[in-house]
Amino acid sequence: MRFFAIGFGQAGGKILDLFMENEKLRGTNTLKALAVNTARTDLMGLKHIPPKNRILIGQTTVKGHGVGTDNKLGAKVAQEEIETILNAIDEMGTHEVDAFLIIAGLGGGTGSGGSPVLAKYLSEMYSEPVYCVGVLPAPEEGKLYSLNAARSMITLLKYVDNLILVDNGAWKFEGLSLKESYAKINEEIVRRLAILARAGEPVEENLVGEMVVDSSEVINTLRGGGISSIGYATLPVQEKKKTGLFGLFKKKETELVTAEEDKSTKIATLVRKAALGRLTIPCNISSAERALVLVAGPPEYLDRKGLEKAKLWLEEQIAGVEVRAGDYPTRRTKHVAALVVLANVTEIPRVKQLQKLAAEAREEVEEAEKVRIEKTISLFDEEDLEPLF
Ligand code: GDP
């Protein structure tokens, strides 16, 4: 799955930078990465996205200092400079791209406001699907962040083919503050995106997948413009014991050969763990319209029967009946990883809660403004002065 990814704003840029590092370490160069921001320092902090693929927008308005938490200004700046962004995308080349992936924190200003603008134009100009990975604010960040995220989500859903949500609140790590958790949360996001990016990509030399999932199946799973959540679980593979000088004679005893039945149960259990464990956004799995399972790991641990079992199980769990499953053999890992994409889920308590907080925040802002205007006017009540003009 070849992504053209755009990291919009601070969170988006950092997550994409890590994704880029991950792909470089794997030796794959299929990911196209562009960072867009209104804050110069955020762009300068990136390490793996080449400087020529970083765009500073809004220079005339905010002079490289960012838009703060004003996502209306974020949207305005993105709209004013949409040509610059689209030209950069075009120049980097889009002919081999399977999908666009906008990554952004939805509670802030630049990414929250800019992402829906970019999604609108990309969906109009290109036939490839446009996805957004949207990071939701944690409750402790306050109502303004909720209001921003709720407004951004509503707008994004008008234009994207799918909105994959990540809830910072649900992912904050024990004993760490939210800020300290960012690096770990970003790693978790990138682990999932990296597996998704393997779908349909050529496998390493001399390896063959048992069941191949190609990019069109990812696209079919994510179609429809809804919200998705991703589950993930890993299992360390047992290392073969070193056999030493007499290894040849002892081979049968020491080599850990996994029985076929055991292997398929392990895969099915791992997929179940991924679907029922911590999702990028907690949701009711039975409200998912479709699902996609991708298992990656050393070929001797992958198993067709196990995947089929997992597929049947998932079909019973979700609302719809479309479950796609495939695997990706790789020797570059000591883990078997299972990814479960729950597509177009409708029961997401955090989104409902955000809507409520956002409505409250809007009322409070309007009320505060009314009071402020009244109080300001009353300051001049006593004097019967005429304005200058
Ligand atoms: P922008 O630069 O104006 O788009 O604003 P940010 O990207 O900083 O968006 C603010 C939101 O993103 C807040 O809800 C933050 O909690 C969240 N955020 C900021 N940086 C990170 C990060 O590195 N990782 C994650 N997961 N969230 C982040």
Side-chain angles (χ1 to χ4, degrees):
M1 185 91 190
R2 289 162 184 246
F3 287 117
F4 194 122
I6 300 105
F8 220 129
Q10 178 178 226
K14 282 196 296 188
I15 296 165
L16 181 56
D17 205 47
L18 193 65
F19 191 10
M20 195 65 182
E21 178 183 16
N22 187 82
E23 295 298 289
K24 273 191 203 161
L25 287 174
R26 290 187 56 90
T28 39
N29 64 349
T30 51
L31 175 68
K32 288 192 188 273
L34 176 72
V36 184
N37 212 319
T38 56
R40 184 179 281 111
T41 44
D42 289 349
L43 286 178
M44 281 164 60
L46 304 174
K47 296 192 187 85
H48 303 281
I49 300 170
K52 65 174 176 16
N53 296 343
R54 304 177 198 172
I55 305 181
L56 181 67
I57 56 169
Q59 263 173 290
T60 47
T61 339
V62 295
K63 305 188 168 40
H65 300 308
V67 297
T69 49
D70 186 348
N71 68 348
K72 281 194 177 161
L73 183 56
K76 184 169 172 276
V77 167
Q79 178 64 53
E80 281 166 2
E81 298 197 31
I82 194 68
E83 285 303 323
T84 317
I85 305 172
L86 293 173
N87 284 343
I89 292 173
D90 188 47
E91 272 167 29
M92 284 170 67
T94 54
H95 54 286
E96 281 182 339
V97 166
D98 294 314
F100 291 94
L101 188 69
I102 304 171
I103 308 174
L106 302 187
T110 304
S112 172
S115 298
V117 175
L118 180 59
K120 174 174 180 267
Y121 282 90
L122 287 177
S123 64
E124 276 170 16
M125 290 183 60
Y126 293 93
S127 55
E128 286 77 17
V130 179
Y131 306 131
C132 177
V133 172
V135 179
L136 295 184
E140 70 214 53
E141 292 183 89
K143 285 185 184 165
L144 178 61
Y145 281 72
S146 302
L147 179 59
N148 281 351
R151 278 194 173 134
S152 181
M153 264 193 292
I154 290 177
T155 326
L156 274 166
L157 285 168
K158 284 167 71 175
Y159 304 108
V160 293
D161 290 275
N162 209 289
L163 174 61
I164 300 166
L165 289 180
V166 180
D167 183 9
N168 265 352
W171 278 90
K172 205 179 135 216
F173 283 82
E174 269 287 306
L176 296 182
S177 71
L178 180 61
K179 285 223 159 75
E180 288 162 348
S181 299
Y182 285 161
K184 277 165 164 269
I185 301 176
N186 297 355
E187 270 173 32
E188 294 289 344
I189 299 172
V190 166
R191 261 184 212 138
R192 286 152 182 78
L193 293 180
I195 297 205
L196 206 55
R198 297 283 83 76
E201 285 305 293
V203 289
E204 292 151 34
E205 226 171 288
N206 302 325
L207 298 183
V208 249
E210 295 249 331
M211 274 165 91
V212 179
V213 157
D214 64 27
S215 48
S216 65
E217 293 182 271
V218 177
I219 293 170
N220 276 330
T221 303
L222 291 174
R223 73 180 194 277
I227 295 175
S228 296
S229 183
I230 300 182
Y232 177 84
T234 58
L235 184 73
V237 298
Q238 293 156 311
E239 296 235 39
K240 285 178 184 174
K241 283 187 185 161
K242 293 229 163 58
T243 50
L245 201 59
F246 302 104
L248 275 181
F249 304 104
K250 288 189 170 175
K251 203 171 180 188
K252 271 220 160 104
E253 281 172 52
T254 52
E255 206 173 14
L256 293 166
V257 182
T258 329
E260 285 305 307
E261 207 33 55
D262 186 29
K263 220 164 79 171
S264 76
T265 309
K266 274 191 177 149
I267 294 290
T269 310
L270 189 65
V271 172
R272 209 176 290 202
K273 238 175 96 184
L276 299 178
R278 187 141 67 145
L279 300 169
T280 53
I281 177 121
C283 64
N284 186 349
I285 170 172
S286 67
S287 71
E289 186 183 15
R290 297 184 210 102
L292 173 82
V293 180
L294 273 168
V295 177
E300 57 275 28
Y301 292 90
L302 302 180
D303 185 79
R304 191 189 182 98
K305 265 202 214 141
L307 259 185
E308 275 164 0
K309 259 196 224 172
K311 200 173 154 207
L312 284 176
W313 174 80
L314 252 178
E315 273 172 19
E316 281 176 13
Q317 304 305 308
I318 66 168
V321 288
E322 277 179 65
V323 180
R324 295 168 174 85
D327 54 24
Y328 186 86
T330 172
R331 294 222 174 273
R332 293 199 188 110
T333 172
K334 289 198 166 59
H335 287 88
V336 181
L339 181 89
V340 175
V341 179
L342 297 168
N344 298 347
V345 282
T346 50
E347 287 175 34
I348 318 168
R350 177 73 181 129
V351 173
K352 272 257 159 260
Q353 188 195 25
L354 268 174
Q355 291 294 111
K356 207 169 145 262
L357 287 171
E360 281 171 21
R362 196 186 47 198
E363 272 171 31
E364 280 172 27
V365 169
E366 283 168 3
E367 183 57 28
E369 194 180 359
K370 217 174 95 193
V371 172
R372 193 251 309 151
I373 292 171
E374 280 167 7
K375 282 190 174 166
T376 313
I377 291 171
S378 72
L379 282 175
F380 300 93
D381 265 2
E382 313 291 306
E383 318 297 334
D384 200 14
L385 288 175
E386 288 295 314
L388 275 177
F389 49 86

